[in-house]
Amino acid sequence: MDVSHILNHLNDAQRQAVAAPPGNALVLAGAGSGKTRVLVHRIAWLIQAEGYSPHSILAVTFTNKAAREMRGRIEELLGHSYAGMWVGTFHGLAHRLLKAHSKEAGLPDNFQILDSDDQLRLLKRIHRELELDESRWPPRQSQWFINGQKDEGKRSQHIEDFGHDLFITTMLKVYRRYEEICQQQGVVDFAELLLRAHEIWLNHPALLGHYQSRFRHILVDEFQDTNTIQYAWLRVLAGKQVPITAVGDDDQSIYGWRGARIENIQQFSQDFAGVETIRLEQNYRSTQTILKAANAVIANNRDRLGKELWSQGDEGDPIQVYAGFNEQDEARFITERIDSLTSGGDYSRSDTAILYRSNAQSRVLEENLIRAGLPYRIYGGQRFYDRLEIRNALAYLRLSLHRDDDAALERVINTPTRGIGARTVEQLRLIAREQGCSLWAAAQFCLREKVLPARASGALQAFVDLIAGIEQGIAELPLDEQVDHAIEASGLIEFHKKEKGEKGQARVENLQELVSAARSFETDDEDVPLLRAFLDQAALDAGEQQADEYEDSVQMMTLHSAKGLEFPVVFIAGMEQNLFPHRMSMEEQSLEEERRLCYVGITRAEQQLYLTYAETRRLHGQDNYNSPSCFLSEIPRELMSEVRGNTQISRPVSFANTSMHSTDEDSGLTLGQRVLHSIFGEGTILNFEGQGASARVQVNFESEGSKWLVLAYAKLEAI
Ligand code: ATP
Ligand code: MG
């Protein structure tokens, strides 16, 4: 068979990596140098040139989206589709393994995934039960503790309590109770997926042996962000016989705060035999200018494994820097720029991406995009499967499959409202706790023993009947009709239709969108009922991102979610001290991680890069006056030019003197100033136009949005 096409469009180093004889290999290379491309081509090569069965390949990526893309690109190269290939995230693969071997994993075969919201709710309940004061012992802290321990491979019994550290003693108490309840309910959180998958290897050598002879090659993308348990899982699976190809970039390790260990890259060459290290140095993604900026920023980090990237690409445009006077102005600038870039036909909307450090920054940007009529899509943040109405609908379906799913029950027992009050629910919890049973079983008990007052009892009976009715109603239906039936029968559609305004409408549309999602849902796992597979996928997707992939829309996401992606035009918003680098990361080590995040952000851009900041920013209801990000001053000045208003001034940027408040001479008002209007209320000045009697001012009012007013009549009062 002719396999030369697999080696076309690769440079020498890439070709060497792709066609290397099977053995352990580490591809260590900077952003945009074709690491992911090498992985894809290597898989195709192993299958077509080396004759490996697709069944014998295990490939790990960082997101479900990346996994889908990888599968698509392999199939494109080979001209076939292969369902048997294991391509997924660590979590997705662990889940697949646990489903196939739930007995060995000590789980019921219909175990459910507990996402982080549900996890937090459960922990709140445990804190109440243990009478822990929430202000002293925030449930989020326990969540962080438990997940952190699991990422390190530790269960409660592995942690020693010497009895003199109240923190450890308390956390352990919570951890133990949490483990107990999860086991009892048959639910598994994200970190638990990995831990159990690892324990399967340790406790069932025969099973491990089976997979070791099944898999002939393991490939891992974004290796720099593996954590302890993921690394351990790989290491045990590989044993001495399964070779691993790992690709990564130490400069792009950005999940240290979640337990990722850069050191795994160095460790790899020590723990695995005969590792061949391949370096790629040519960048194919960005212009020279963008690349130089990225190199200059990351050069400020110490302890790097050391890589230089070069490019044969064009010099490209200078990096454009915009100083907004506040976050509204920044968002307005970005929106207008995207509008003009895309209306000229040079770029489509999906060629443009807005990246930001913190999720909360997206709201203002979104509002501006909406006003400008520019469709956008958010990765992470308010994701489709995270939306309230979607989670509610899924909870009904989960309950219909599995009555003991307490998280689902708590979520919908009184949504839509059906007269089951907080007191009833509290009573169910009490009984569940006393009897060590699920809330559903507690409800059955209450009904049987007539524990509740008549009205509460009637409402509860109706709920129990409703769930049973849904189960029966959907028994014979195709997946999309199952979903459709559940959202109608549960009363959710009617409930949201009654909600006033756009919000209710949007929720109804989202629920309808869930039916479409079900219609196009596919799985390559035929052993599992479709609804079950759909619910599991939704839970996994809620763990990262989801939205409509097909509409041409501006791409918005946090810098963290942008890893591995590329866009012709990139905006990084909020280049301010305390925001980026984040206020919590001013000490050396975490500052370096922030800098890597900046490197990741800059290297997402192919042709144009915009860096914007605001002189004042209202975030989480507070006004902040931050100076421009230190990362801006790490970029050589000759690579940047400053944009003012919408006219570009080609002159070097100076961050020492960034004050650019312009003032209306007559009124004494300045841009960005907060003002009060007798009818529209409070707002912020966005713009001035004209002079004297015809002078107009643009104000963004909190309740009314942005308006142009004649200054002489507006009677704005400075506040
Ligand atoms: P990151 O570190 O950001 O994940 P990466 O090293 O994985 O980047 P890729 O995403 O694989 O890099 O490649 C970057 C871009 O360069 C892609 O658009 C890819 O198709 C292109 N590319 C890589 N190698 C070549 C090549 N030899 N010829 C042409 N284009 C290439
Ligand atoms: Mg990549």
Side-chain angles (χ1 to χ4, degrees):
M1 189 182 303
D2 180 22
V3 292
S4 59
H5 67 284
I6 299 177
L7 299 179
N8 288 345
H9 308 292
L10 296 175
N11 64 33
D12 286 347
Q14 291 174 330
R15 207 169 289 142
Q16 185 200 343
V18 166
N24 293 316
L26 173 67
V27 179
L28 182 63
S33 58
K35 294 184 296 300
T36 303
R37 189 182 175 105
V38 160
L39 271 198
V40 167
H41 284 244
R42 178 139 178 83
I43 294 173
W45 177 263
L46 289 171
I47 293 175
Q48 212 150 56
E50 302 278 351
Y52 283 32
S53 150
H55 272 270
S56 68
I57 301 288
L58 176 75
V60 192
T61 62
F62 205 74
T63 61
N64 290 326
K65 178 176 154 62
R68 282 193 287 271
E69 272 175 22
M70 180 170 285
R71 183 184 288 278
R73 282 158 67 186
I74 297 166
E75 293 178 348
E76 208 175 293
L77 269 178
L78 297 181
H80 271 287
S81 70
Y82 294 107
M85 205 161 43
W86 279 41
V87 183
T89 60
F90 278 107
H91 290 102
L93 295 167
H95 180 237
R96 188 165 180 173
L97 190 71
L98 295 182
K99 269 196 314 190
H101 307 287
S102 50
K103 199 151 66 53
E104 289 86 345
L107 290 168
D109 53 353
N110 61 350
F111 73 88
Q112 304 285 310
I113 298 174
L114 192 71
D115 65 25
S116 77
D117 249 30
D118 291 338
Q119 184 185 36
L120 189 62
R121 193 163 327 151
L122 174 56
L123 283 166
K124 280 191 179 152
R125 211 176 104 197
I126 293 174
H127 277 222
R128 271 200 303 272
E129 181 187 314
L130 298 176
E131 296 180 343
L132 296 172
D133 173 10
E134 284 210 6
S135 56
R136 170 131 196 244
W137 301 103
R140 271 192 196 285
Q141 184 180 43
S142 305
Q143 186 176 30
W144 169 84
F145 177 85
I146 291 172
N147 293 341
Q149 295 301 326
K150 288 188 177 183
D151 283 345
E152 292 291 317
K154 291 192 189 130
R155 298 209 170 276
S156 62
Q157 78 256 27
H158 300 134
I159 305 166
E160 231 167 322
D161 179 12
F162 297 107
H164 46 63
D165 184 339
L166 185 60
F167 177 75
I168 293 288
T169 309
T170 312
M171 287 297 111
L172 272 178
K173 230 194 287 176
V174 176
Y175 192 1
R176 276 190 219 109
R177 183 70 184 126
Y178 175 77
E179 285 178 324
E180 218 171 84
I181 297 183
C182 287
Q183 187 63 32
Q184 185 187 321
Q185 292 184 5
V187 293
V188 170
D189 62 50
F190 282 109
E192 182 77 21
L193 286 172
L194 301 176
L195 186 51
R196 294 247 176 188
H198 185 235
E199 288 170 348
I200 280 204
W201 294 159
L202 302 184
N203 301 334
H204 300 276
L207 208 59
L208 172 63
H210 165 77
Y211 281 97
Q212 286 179 329
S213 49
R214 170 189 172 148
F215 294 128
R216 293 182 63 196
H217 207 96
I218 300 172
L219 303 100
V220 191
D221 201 357
E222 307 278 4
F223 193 71
Q224 74 281 358
D225 274 323
T226 48
N227 66 21
T228 304
I229 190 82
Q230 292 165 342
Y231 185 79
W233 185 79
L234 282 175
R235 195 171 165 200
V236 178
L237 171 61
K240 293 217 176 338
Q241 59 257 59
V242 196
I244 297 191
T245 300
V247 313
D249 177 5
D250 55 312
D251 289 333
Q252 293 187 72
S253 166
I254 53 176
Y255 281 96
W257 54 282
R258 238 169 48 179
R261 287 169 44 89
I262 281 196
E263 302 85 339
N264 287 344
I265 293 188
Q266 281 139 312
Q267 199 63 38
F268 183 70
S269 302
Q270 289 162 27
D271 290 344
F272 292 82
V275 173
E276 184 185 2
T277 301
I278 297 162
R279 289 173 184 265
L280 311 175
E281 287 178 337
Q282 182 172 359
N283 170 295
Y284 288 90
R285 181 181 291 147
S286 312
T287 63
Q288 304 266 6
T289 303
I290 292 168
L291 204 57
K292 276 187 211 153
N295 283 339
V297 169
I298 199 67
N300 292 287
N301 271 7
R302 297 192 293 186
D303 288 338
R304 300 172 57 215
L305 296 180
K307 293 173 265 77
E308 272 302 313
L309 274 180
W310 58 277
S311 155
Q312 275 179 339
D314 294 342
E315 192 67 36
D317 295 330
I319 293 164
Q320 308 197 40
V321 179
Y322 181 76
F325 34 86
N326 59 16
E327 77 285 354
Q328 288 290 349
D329 181 47
E330 178 191 52
R332 180 196 55 77
F333 166 75
I334 294 175
T335 306
E336 285 179 8
R337 205 32 88 93
I338 292 177
D339 199 25
S340 71
L341 285 167
T342 53
S343 55
D346 290 342
Y347 295 102
S348 68
R349 287 191 285 267
S350 51
D351 287 339
T352 64
I354 312 176
L355 314 182
Y356 37 84
R357 175 67 181 83
S358 139
N359 252 315
Q361 282 171 259
S362 81
R363 191 186 52 81
V364 175
L365 291 160
E366 287 182 66
E367 286 168 4
N368 276 271
L369 290 166
I370 291 169
R371 239 176 280 146
L374 285 169
Y376 64 89
R377 169 163 185 243
I378 297 195
Y379 288 85
Q382 182 53 295
R383 315 152 260 219
F384 183 72
Y385 285 103
D386 260 350
R387 291 179 189 153
L388 183 90
E389 63 280 12
I390 298 300
R391 298 169 65 92
N392 290 343
L394 294 173
Y396 275 102
L397 289 162
R398 276 161 55 185
L399 264 186
S400 74
L401 282 187
H402 182 58
R403 301 285 198 279
D404 293 342
D405 187 338
D406 281 3
L409 185 135
E410 290 232 27
R411 178 167 269 286
V412 295
I413 187 164
N414 201 34
T415 307
T417 36
R418 50 173 68 88
I420 301 180
R423 197 176 304 163
T424 307
V425 178
E426 195 45 55
Q427 204 156 356
L428 294 183
R429 285 196 200 112
L430 197 73
I431 293 170
R433 200 149 66 221
E434 274 168 12
Q435 313 218 339
C437 66
S438 68
L439 291 169
W440 180 269
Q444 302 278 19
F445 175 85
C446 283
L447 293 171
R448 212 169 42 237
E449 303 296 329
K450 309 214 173 6
V451 178
L452 299 169
R455 189 183 300 171
S457 195
L460 192 59
Q461 184 66 53
F463 176 69
V464 167
D465 293 344
L466 172 67
I467 299 298
I470 291 180
E471 187 191 22
Q472 278 164 16
I474 64 176
E476 305 293 336
L477 298 176
L479 181 62
D480 55 337
E481 289 175 32
Q482 290 183 315
V483 175
D484 198 17
H485 180 87
I487 60 177
E488 289 288 349
S490 61
L492 283 173
I493 289 275
E494 204 190 357
F495 175 66
H496 291 302
K497 273 194 178 146
K498 278 196 224 131
E499 264 186 88
K500 288 198 190 69
E502 273 174 27
K503 208 173 207 165
Q505 179 58 29
R507 295 215 150 121
V508 171
E509 285 170 7
N510 282 333
L511 286 170
Q512 288 158 344
E513 183 57 31
L514 188 64
V515 180
S516 330
R519 194 169 302 136
S520 55
F521 178 72
E522 281 172 1
T523 170
D524 51 18
D525 195 339
E526 280 154 18
D527 301 329
V528 179
L530 207 53
L531 178 57
R532 172 80 204 284
F534 179 67
L535 293 174
D536 287 341
Q537 186 57 49
L540 286 172
D541 268 339
E544 44 171 303
Q545 44 75 26
Q546 201 40 246
D548 179 5
E549 292 207 21
Y550 304 105
E551 191 182 8
D552 180 29
S553 49
V554 177
Q555 311 288 297
M556 296 176 66
M557 69 203 77
T558 62
L559 286 150
H560 280 99
S561 330
K563 204 162 79 145
L565 306 179
E566 57 192 12
F567 308 92
V569 183
V570 168
F571 294 80
I572 304 181
M575 294 291 298
E576 292 140 43
Q577 284 302 99
N578 295 323
L579 184 57
F580 188 36
H582 197 273
R583 142 172 103 278
M584 309 290 274
S585 53
M586 288 305 178
E587 65 192 79
E588 174 93 27
Q589 223 185 358
S590 35
L591 181 63
E592 294 214 341
E593 179 149 316
E594 292 288 299
R595 192 175 282 114
R596 291 194 291 270
L597 193 55
C598 185
Y599 175 77
V600 167
I602 293 174
T603 53
R604 298 311 96 198
E606 297 171 8
Q607 296 155 20
Q608 295 203 25
L609 176 64
Y610 289 83
L611 303 174
T612 64
Y613 62 93
E615 285 166 8
T616 71
R617 177 179 302 275
R618 179 163 271 217
L619 196 65
H620 314 299
Q622 272 199 334
D623 286 321
N624 302 284
Y625 303 85
N626 295 318
S627 43
S629 168
C630 57
F631 302 141
L632 279 170
S633 54
E634 293 173 3
I635 300 175
R637 291 195 178 171
E638 65 274 13
L639 301 178
M640 298 187 277
S641 78
E642 186 171 352
V643 193
R644 291 219 169 168
N646 266 343
T647 46
Q648 186 158 336
I649 306 168
S650 294
R651 62 187 181 107
V653 189
S654 155
F655 297 108
N657 174 19
T658 47
S659 156
M660 52 161 285
H661 287 281
S662 100
T663 308
D664 179 74
E665 310 260 305
D666 296 335
S667 64
L669 295 171
T670 55
L671 291 180
Q673 184 165 20
R674 305 272 306 154
V675 289
L676 182 67
H677 184 272
S678 58
I679 296 169
F680 302 133
E682 287 188 25
T684 308
I685 297 190
L686 288 188
N687 225 333
F688 292 109
E689 197 180 80
Q691 249 142 40
S694 66
R696 302 196 315 147
V697 57
Q698 188 187 22
V699 184
N700 185 38
F701 291 105
E702 273 167 16
S703 51
E704 305 280 323
S706 129
K707 287 191 185 306
W708 281 101
L709 306 169
V710 176
L711 245 182
Y713 301 120
K715 300 235 165 26
L716 294 172
E717 203 182 309
I719 51 173

